[in-house]
Amino acid sequence: MSTAEETAGGEDTPWDEVTPDAARRLLVAAVEAFAERGYHATTTRDIAGRAGMSPAALYIHYKTKEELLHRISRIGHVKALEILQAAADGPGTAAERLADAVRSFVRWHAGRRTTARVVQYELDSLGDEHRAEIFELRRKSDAAVRRIINEGVTAGEFDVPDVSGTTLAVLSLCIDVARWFSTEGRRTPDEIGALYADLVLRMVGAGAAEPSPAQK
């Protein structure tokens, strides 16, 4: 299995929204190449070779290398937004929903660490129009977490003097997992998610996190 299709702690069928199969193979190859070499050091020939295709075949599905990066980034950011909005809209107290958001967000960044590194750290390589679209998705993700924290403050569950700054800190903490997580480490994506949920609740003054249903 390729590094871009890791399954531990992530979705069971990554990139299944990308069709046809040739387009999916090229996208997976691009994720691997961008993560390994960086966007600017990767050529379309590198990507096509990893996918077992000719360079000309790439242009049938993607007009440019930047279009490939945009597709990867958009899919990743939509997934991130879905995770955070599902937690924000879910049942339970603000503390329970914040813990769920952090657990799920961290688990995705660990379980899909290769993809997440490209999604989160190659934004400056996007063109202006595509970058603006991705920043809008990021603003919505920020808003979902900020809403949970605001509701916790209003309910008296959280002690947070600076909601915007704390929201940024929470998201940055979760995203950074993609940079350092390794399957050779002693913790699984689920365990890292539980640890970070506990840390974030302590950060907002809510005490320790309750274990998730899967951990009970």
Side-chain angles (χ1 to χ4, degrees), residues 66-190:
E66 194 268 351
E67 182 179 319
L68 253 173
L69 178 62
H70 171 245
R71 186 82 188 275
I72 293 163
S73 187
R74 190 178 192 285
I75 291 172
H77 278 89
V78 166
K79 179 61 179 178
L81 180 58
E82 288 173 352
I83 288 170
L84 295 173
Q85 285 186 334
D89 296 336
T93 65
E96 290 168 340
R97 287 181 287 124
L98 183 58
D100 183 43
V102 171
R103 269 193 296 264
S104 301
F105 202 45
V106 166
R107 190 166 55 238
W108 187 81
H109 279 82
R112 293 280 174 268
R113 62 198 175 280
T114 306
T115 298
R117 283 200 299 272
V118 176
V119 167
Q120 299 292 0
Y121 297 118
E122 289 286 1
L123 291 177
D124 289 342
S125 300
L126 290 169
D128 291 344
E129 182 178 349
H130 286 159
R131 192 184 308 118
E133 178 188 0
I134 298 304
F135 280 168
E136 180 59 26
L137 290 170
R138 290 172 78 92
R139 280 192 288 271
K140 289 178 180 178
S141 290
D142 180 281
V145 175
R146 190 168 63 250
R147 172 158 62 93
I148 300 174
I149 296 175
N150 267 320
E151 290 172 356
V153 171
T154 300
E157 294 182 55
F158 301 159
D159 179 13
V160 178
D162 183 347
V163 172
S164 294
T166 301
T167 299
L168 176 61
V170 169
L171 288 170
S172 297
L173 187 70
C174 297
I175 288 169
D176 194 56
V177 169
R179 182 183 58 79
W180 60 260
F181 182 80
S182 170
T183 54
E184 296 177 0
R186 64 187 182 89
R187 287 193 172 101
T188 66
D190 284 338

